[in-house]
Amino acid sequence: MKVNFKLYASLGQYLPAGAEDHQIALDVAEGMSPAQLLELQGVPRAEVHLVLVNGVFIPPSQRDNPLMEGDQLAVWPAVAGG
C-alpha cells in the first residue's frame, strides 16, 4: 500500500533518497504501523516527538495502530528553544 511519509527538522536525514520537500511516497506492507515504518527507516524512537496521521495527533500509545492506504504520516522531533 502507498503512504506519504514526511519527516521534519533534524529527522529529515532519515528520509530515503528521492525525497523532496521533506516527504516521499512509500510502498509499505499492508497493516504497517507508524512505529514500524519509523523503525524501518532507522528513525530513533527517542528522537520522535510529534506524530500525525492525516493531520491528527497520534499519542505514543496508539502508534502501533495500522496505517491505511493513502495515509499521510508526518513526524517532528522535539524542539528546544527559549
Side-chain angles (χ1 to χ4, degrees):
M1 70 179 182
K2 263 212 193 301
V3 297
N4 193 28
F5 184 51
K6 303 176 181 184
L7 293 177
Y8 293 98
S10 61
L11 297 180
Q13 66 182 314
Y14 299 103
L15 282 167
E20 293 182 15
D21 297 322
H22 307 286
Q23 63 185 320
I24 191 165
L26 293 177
D27 285 313
V28 300
E30 216 42 61
M32 181 169 282
S33 70
Q36 290 170 322
L37 180 52
L38 290 166
E39 184 176 334
L40 182 67
Q41 295 301 316
V43 179
R45 189 174 292 231
E47 292 184 29
V48 172
H49 178 66
L50 183 62
V51 174
L52 288 92
V53 173
N54 302 324
V56 177
F57 172 70
I58 306 298
S61 63
Q62 295 178 13
R63 293 179 186 168
D64 288 321
N65 294 345
L67 293 163
M68 305 297 286
E69 173 74 30
D71 277 350
Q72 294 199 21
L73 173 62
V75 183
W76 285 264
V79 177

